[in-house]
Amino acid sequence: SLYLKLTVLQKNVKNTTRKNIVIKDYFVKNCINIKQWAQSKNLDVRTTYFVINGHLKGNIKSKGNTKKVFDALFQEKIIDKLPDGLK
């Protein structure tokens, strides 16, 4: 399943420094399909694309789709902390 693939891929990335990895690079390097990942987490696909490509950075206070995407990235340990506007 997609979840198992993501778990295995995350273990392969643990040896790299996460601060230097841009979110998009993480998905590209690990061959993760953004649409499938978003659908597996019940996220809005369009918002997920914007967040992963860096168009939405979480600077503005948001409680909607943007926050859900960042929460999913945080839970998967793709990012170390939530942006200041979303805490």
Side-chain angles (χ1 to χ4, degrees):
S1 77
L2 181 60
Y3 179 75
L4 292 175
K5 289 179 186 176
L6 288 174
T7 307
V8 170
L9 293 173
Q10 282 180 344
K11 290 179 182 176
N12 294 337
V13 175
K14 286 193 177 185
N15 294 332
T16 61
T17 56
R18 289 212 169 106
K19 293 178 182 176
N20 298 331
I21 296 177
V22 179
I23 298 172
K24 169 109 178 162
D25 291 341
Y26 177 86
F27 279 81
V28 170
K29 287 180 183 177
N30 293 299
C31 302
I32 300 171
N33 183 303
I34 296 171
K35 182 178 179 181
Q36 288 179 347
W37 183 82
Q39 289 174 338
S40 73
K41 303 289 180 194
N42 295 324
L43 301 171
D44 180 60
V45 176
R46 185 176 171 94
T47 305
T48 304
Y49 272 109
F50 282 138
V51 169
I52 291 172
N53 288 315
H55 297 293
L56 293 174
K57 296 180 174 44
N59 297 337
I60 300 171
K61 195 172 188 179
S62 171
K63 295 185 189 238
N65 291 333
T66 306
K67 182 173 172 76
K68 290 178 187 175
V69 173
F70 277 106
D71 282 339
L73 291 169
F74 181 70
Q75 289 174 357
E76 292 284 327
K77 298 187 177 158
I78 297 171
I79 58 174
D80 293 333
K81 63 178 184 172
L82 291 174
D84 292 333
L86 300 177
K87 290 183 179 179

